[in-house]
């Protein structure tokens, strides 16, 4: 038997994405965004409202980075979600993390997060069914510590996912199958 659970935010896992930009003064701004995904092979979509300092920065600088949050930095990742850059302009400095300027876009790469997509801003969609920020991925980097040769090993990334049912974070580490292969058993 099934039971109504009174939630509409029911997709799990939701990624924990760190969206980084530069402020107008050149300082680093980072926010935590669970509502984001790939729109196409080289496009990301982030469901963010225009009230976010990060969205204002994205529109002004025409660039941003998207890092995958990891278990080693869950405190910092959550901090970026509970503190607004509109009210705390030095929140990145308070986190203790460090950044390097992207060589491809006008946005910072947060050094401590192992995977980062560098994005050019394409457009902002608003309205009742608007989806927010759309960006083109122009480069992706991975820290060597999460690589096996030339391939990212997700078990080494220890990415975290957001649980909308209990507001928890979960570590994503164990491979359980092979995409586009395991299902062929039923063919």
């Amino acid at each position: 038997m099934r039971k109504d659970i009174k939630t509409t935010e029911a997709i799990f896992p939701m990624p924990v994405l760190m969206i980084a930009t530069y402020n107008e003064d050149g300082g680093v701004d980072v926010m935590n965004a669970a509502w984001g995904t790939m729109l196409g092979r080289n496009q990301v979509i982030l469901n963010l409202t225009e009230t976010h300092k990060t969205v204002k920065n994205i529109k002004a600088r025409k660039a941003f980075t998207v890092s995958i949050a990891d278990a080693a930095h869950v405190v910092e990742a959550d901090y970026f979600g509970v503190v607004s850059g509109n009210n705390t302009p030095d929140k990145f400095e308070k986190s203790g993390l460090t950044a390097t300027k992207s060589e491809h876009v006008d946005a910072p790469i947060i050094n401590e997060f192992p995977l980062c997509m560098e994005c050019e801003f394409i457009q902002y969609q608003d309205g009742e069914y608007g989806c927010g920020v759309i960006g083109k991925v122009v480069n992706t980097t991975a820290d060597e510590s999460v690589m096996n040769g030339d391939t990212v090993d997700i078990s080494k990334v220890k990415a975290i996912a957001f649980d909308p049912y209990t507001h928890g974070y979960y570590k994503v580490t164990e491979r359980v199958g092979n995409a586009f292969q395991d299902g062929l058993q039923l063919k």
Side-chain angles (χ1 to χ4, degrees), residues 15-16 19 27 29 32 34 61 63 81 94 110 118 122 140 161 168 174 177 184 186:
V16 180
I19 315 305
D29 172 69
N32 178 325
R61 303 297 277 241
K94 289 182 176 184
I110 309 308
E118 301 161 68
I122 295 175
T140 303
E174 184 180 352
L184 297 176
L186 300 177

Side-chain angles (χ1 to χ4, degrees), residues 36-162:
T37 191
M38 298 304 298
L39 179 62
R41 289 204 177 271
N42 69 341
Q43 295 175 339
V44 294
I45 188 164
L46 308 170
N47 189 349
L48 306 174
T49 64
E50 291 182 287
T51 58
H52 291 289
K53 175 70 172 158
T54 305
V55 173
K56 294 171 189 168
N57 291 341
I58 289 170
K59 287 178 158 187
R61 303 297 277 241
K62 307 295 184 210
F64 59 98
T65 59
V66 178
S67 294
I68 308 299
D70 64 342
H73 300 96
V74 68
V75 169
E76 294 88 344
D78 191 58
Y79 173 73
F80 292 138
V82 297
V83 176
S84 170
N86 287 320
N87 303 323
T88 310
D90 62 344
K91 74 177 186 176
F92 182 71
E93 290 77 18
K94 289 182 176 184
S95 77
L97 299 183
T98 61
T100 303
K101 184 175 182 345
S102 164
E103 294 179 15
H104 302 277
V105 297
D106 186 19
I109 295 172
I110 309 308
N111 297 320
E112 290 77 8
F113 295 121
L115 288 175
C116 181
M117 293 179 285
E118 301 161 68
C119 303
E120 294 175 350
F121 175 60
I122 295 175
Q123 70 175 338
Y124 185 85
Q125 294 183 353
D126 58 3
E128 184 179 0
Y129 298 105
C131 52
V133 174
I134 299 173
K136 177 182 177 184
V137 179
V138 297
N139 191 55
T140 303
T141 61
D143 189 275
E144 290 178 356
S145 68
V146 300
M147 303 284 293
N148 277 338
D150 292 333
T151 305
V152 172
D153 182 339
I154 290 297
S155 67
K156 291 180 179 181
V157 173
K158 296 183 175 108
I160 57 174
F162 173 66

